[in-house]
Amino acid sequence: MYVLDPTLEPIPDDGDPGPGVSTLAGLKVGFRRDILWRSWDWVSSEWAQLAEQDGAQVQVWRARGRTGDEGDVMLKELDAFVAGIDVAVVGLANCGSCTSWTIHDALRAASTGIPTVAVCTEHFTGLAGTLARRGGRSGLRRHVLPYPLDTLPEAEVRDIARAHYR
C-alpha cells in the first residue's frame, strides 16, 4: 500500500515584495477579477476609474475555470494578460478557494517582476499570508478590505473602494 502526501515542500522564502510604483501615470494597470464576488467587481471598477484619472491605462481580465482543458486555457490567458500590463491588482481573497487562487495568480504576476498587490478581506489575511509565504514570497503586497464586503449594498462598497484607493 502507498500513502501519498498531497503537500509540497515550501518554496524558499526571500520575503521580497517586488518593485513598487511611485505613480500610475503612463502605466498599464491590470485588474484580475474572478467569477464570484460582485463586490470585487465594484471595488475594481472604482479603482480602475481612479487609476485612469491618475493617468494609467486600465485592463481588466476575469479568471474562470481552473481545471482540465479550461484551466490550461485560463493559465495561458492569465500569462498573456500579465505580459501586457505594468502593475497587477489581483482579487478577491474572500473565501478559502478564492484566497488560494488570488494568491496563486498574484504570485504568478509578481514572478514576472511587475509590481503586484493581492486584495483580500480582513477575515482571510492570515490565509493569504500563509499561502504567499508557502509560495516563496511572504512580502507579497496585500491590501486588506473590510469583511464582510459582499453582503453590503453596492453604494457602500463603492464608498469603501474610494476610501481604500492609494
Side-chain angles (χ1 to χ4, degrees), residues 56-136:
Q57 295 177 29
V58 170
Q59 296 180 26
V60 176
W61 178 78
R62 188 175 303 277
R64 52 190 189 289
R66 296 290 185 161
T67 59
D69 293 340
E70 188 178 21
D72 293 340
V73 169
M74 193 278 314
L75 282 177
K76 288 177 186 171
E77 289 179 4
L78 173 61
D79 290 342
F81 170 68
V82 168
I85 59 176
D86 302 310
V87 176
V89 183
V90 182
L92 177 68
N94 193 43
C95 73
S97 62
C98 295
T99 301
S100 297
W101 286 115
T102 294
I103 298 303
H104 171 275
D105 292 355
L107 290 172
R108 198 164 178 110
S111 73
T112 69
I114 65 172
T116 302
V117 62
V119 182
C120 56
T121 57
E122 291 170 324
H123 194 73
F124 293 92
T125 57
L127 177 57
T130 297
L131 294 170
R133 185 175 55 256
R134 285 197 55 91

